[in-house]
Amino acid sequence: MGKGNDLRNDSVLSLVFKLTIPAMLAQLVNVLYGIIDRMFIGHIPVVGNIALAGVGVCGPITTMLASFGTLVGIGGSVMMATSMGHGDTKRAKKILANSFLLLLIFSVALTVVLLLTKKEMIYLFGGSDDTYRFANTYLTIYTMGTFFALLAMGLNYFISCQGFSVNAMFTVLIGAVSNIILDAVFVPVLGWGVGGAAFATVISQILSAVYAVVFLLGKRVQVGITFGGYDFRMILKIIGMGISPFIIISTDSVIIIIINMILQHYGGVEGDMLISGYTITMSYFLLITGPLLGISGGVQPIISFNYGAGQGDRVKKAVLYATIMAVVFNGIMMIVSHFFAGSFVKFFTDDVQSSQVAVWGIKVFTLAAVPLAFQYVFVDALTALGKVKISLYLSASRKISYVVCAFIFAGIFGARNSFYAETVSDVFGGTQSAIVYLIVYAKYFKDMGVTEERLPEHKE
């Protein structure tokens, strides 16, 4: 299914569309895992609203688990694509072998840690006595599938970075379609409730992981899974290269956890209801940030490969086209959000109060969607070029501004107004990223003595 794209010679604009659109669809479908679960859970008779709040507490924890797959996937695939661009296939194979080993290590370690600490984590991250049983059921089952979740997430980047964008999309699609079908059977038909939604997700992740492994063991890829050649220094480099996107995703989870805690603490008797509304709001926002990550992540193979090949002009064009695409997409979604938020919320709950909070929250969260586009594209572009420290700073500073604003707004204006922290941090982060791109990024090439026609050769 599908064939690789020529990252060296194909039109840059054509490559951007061929790689980012499947990546956008894959990320959108990936987001549907959690959204579909929540839709079915929110409509469970009698306990739907409180069960939704319980799963909302689990959301950031499961996202944080998956972010380790992103750490290895982006870190390793960027290095691998650069090596392939430089013509060093032997090193590219070694990178994939070490990345595969790292995914296995993370999956085992995270499964053990989470099973031992899940009760404390649920209460720490905003759970209550009412929501605990739902959160515990969902999280326990989900954790048992961590191994497959990380493999599916991490290995997919190594499919995409070799130009197999359609196959990378199919890795996610097979899991999402399975999740939809199994959710419909396990939750309303068999009446398994929250546990059924969790089982549906785990089985779907198993199918995605199996497909990714089989594809990378096949003959169509230039660089497939091999065993041996393990190198601790290379593993550290993979982690270092992937740390920025890891922080972006994992701290998103931390922020959700912090907001849940703020809503529970400052919300008083409305705490669980506000968390339910916030869970729906975040579910919608992922429909924007997921495809946006597909754009910024989808263009990374083009940037990294041509960086390794010394094609500076192609790098510049790839970043430009991705930026235009991201701004247009987020601009459209910002407009759509303000007119159709209510229709989306109806899929989750019939509770009037939670619905009102969610509709209002969606409109607040999307006020600065356009500046957010700059943040994603420029940070991922700098990561693809190996400028990890700069991208790490841009990611971390935006998150810090979010947390600070959330506490201030909640403490002074009330729990609900912590939602505005998203708007403020998006404006700050997007503006800062644009300035850094125009100054630091351009200065980087100038200081290296690089013209648009020639980038520095890849070095170990």
Side-chain angles (χ1 to χ4, degrees):
M1 176 179 294
K3 66 177 182 176
N5 297 293
D6 189 343
L7 301 179
R8 187 189 301 272
N9 299 310
D10 285 356
S11 161
V12 176
L13 181 60
S14 173
L15 282 173
V16 168
F17 279 108
K18 287 179 180 178
L19 268 67
T20 59
I21 291 179
M24 287 176 70
L25 293 174
Q27 287 292 339
L28 179 61
V29 170
N30 194 42
V31 167
L32 291 178
Y33 272 118
I35 290 180
I36 293 169
D37 281 348
R38 292 168 189 174
M39 285 181 178
F40 281 103
I41 290 168
H43 286 92
I44 295 175
V46 183
V47 298
N49 202 49
I50 198 70
L52 183 62
V55 174
V57 172
C58 297
I61 302 174
T62 58
T63 300
M64 189 178 297
L65 287 175
S67 66
F68 282 88
T70 302
L71 184 155
V72 179
I74 291 183
S77 66
V78 165
M79 290 173 59
M80 192 175 90
T82 304
S83 294
M84 291 176 67
H86 192 60
D88 194 347
T89 303
K90 181 179 179 181
R91 182 174 185 270
K93 291 181 178 179
K94 184 177 179 181
I95 291 170
L96 178 52
N98 281 270
S99 297
F100 188 73
L101 174 64
L102 191 55
L103 286 171
L104 299 180
I105 293 172
F106 276 145
S107 63
V108 173
L110 290 170
T111 299
V112 173
V113 170
L114 192 55
L115 288 176
L116 292 175
T117 62
K118 59 187 175 66
K119 181 176 182 179
E120 292 77 11
M121 290 181 69
I122 289 171
Y123 277 106
L124 178 62
F125 297 158
S128 65
D129 290 338
D130 292 330
T131 60
Y132 174 76
R133 67 187 180 97
F134 299 104
N136 182 58
T137 298
Y138 189 89
L139 190 58
T140 300
I141 297 170
Y142 184 94
T143 302
M144 299 306 295
T146 299
F147 172 79
F148 302 101
L150 263 62
L151 283 185
M153 177 69 71
L155 292 180
N156 206 32
Y157 287 98
F158 295 94
I159 296 174
S160 178
C161 80
Q162 297 186 64
F164 292 95
S165 53
V166 174
N167 298 92
M169 179 180 66
F170 189 72
T171 304
V172 179
L173 188 62
I174 189 174
V177 172
S178 302
N179 195 43
I180 293 173
I181 296 172
L182 294 175
D183 264 331
V185 174
F186 291 168
V187 182
V189 177
L190 298 180
W192 290 0
V194 169
F199 275 121
T201 299
V202 170
I203 294 172
S204 301
Q205 289 169 340
I206 291 173
L207 294 175
S208 291
V210 169
Y211 177 82
V213 170
V214 170
F215 186 82
L216 286 172
L217 287 173
K219 296 181 179 180
R220 283 178 288 179
V221 292
Q222 181 180 355
V223 178
I225 296 174
T226 56
F227 303 93
Y230 302 124
D231 185 335
F232 183 69
R233 288 174 54 194
M234 178 169 283
I235 288 176
L236 290 180
K237 287 182 180 180
I238 293 169
I239 294 174
M241 187 64 71
I243 196 67
S244 179
F246 169 76
I247 287 178
I248 293 175
I249 298 174
S250 63
T251 51
D252 276 344
S253 301
V254 172
I255 286 174
I256 294 173
I257 291 166
I258 291 173
I259 296 299
N260 284 342
M261 294 169 64
I262 289 174
L263 294 176
Q264 196 67 259
H265 178 74
Y266 289 100
V269 295
E270 291 187 329
D272 286 339
M273 182 272 294
L274 291 175
I275 290 177
S276 180
Y278 180 70
T279 299
I280 299 171
T281 299
M282 286 304 302
S283 296
Y284 180 86
F285 200 56
L286 288 172
L287 294 176
I288 297 176
T289 59
L292 183 59
L293 184 62
I295 295 174
S296 62
V299 79
Q300 279 187 320
I302 306 173
I303 297 172
S304 297
F305 183 96
N306 285 284
Y307 172 77
Q311 300 295 323
D313 185 54
R314 290 173 66 82
V315 172
K316 182 179 178 181
K317 287 180 180 179
V319 175
L320 175 62
Y321 295 147
T323 303
I324 294 172
M325 182 180 291
V327 169
V328 171
F329 172 76
N330 274 28
I332 293 173
M333 289 302 295
M334 181 179 67
I335 296 171
V336 169
S337 302
H338 284 262
F339 287 99
F340 298 102
S343 300
F344 176 83
V345 172
K346 289 179 182 178
F347 286 109
F348 287 84
T349 182
D350 297 321
D351 182 76
V352 176
Q353 288 184 310
S354 295
S355 296
Q356 290 175 343
V357 171
V359 171
W360 170 79
I362 289 171
K363 293 179 180 179
V364 169
F365 264 54
T366 54
L367 285 173
V370 172
L372 183 64
F374 293 110
Q375 170 83 18
Y376 271 70
V377 174
F378 295 149
V379 167
D380 280 1
L382 289 167
T383 300
L385 290 167
K387 304 299 290 182
V388 178
K389 291 182 179 179
I390 296 176
S391 58
L392 180 58
Y393 163 76
L394 292 173
S395 301
S397 60
R398 173 174 168 263
K399 303 302 182 181
I400 292 171
S401 70
Y402 187 106
V403 173
V404 171
C405 289
F407 275 110
I408 292 175
F409 294 165
I412 297 177
F413 304 110
R416 295 191 186 204
N417 289 289
S418 62
F419 283 35
Y420 281 107
E422 177 69 39
T423 306
V424 174
S425 66
D426 287 348
V427 172
F428 169 73
T431 302
Q432 179 181 232
S433 296
I435 293 173
V436 169
Y437 174 76
L438 293 174
I439 298 176
V440 179
Y441 177 75
K443 184 176 183 295
Y444 163 63
F445 283 100
K446 182 178 180 181
D447 289 348
M448 291 293 292
V450 181
T451 66
E452 291 183 359
E453 288 74 28
R454 183 65 189 169
L455 283 164
E457 290 187 356
H458 166 75
K459 294 182 180 180
E460 176 68 34

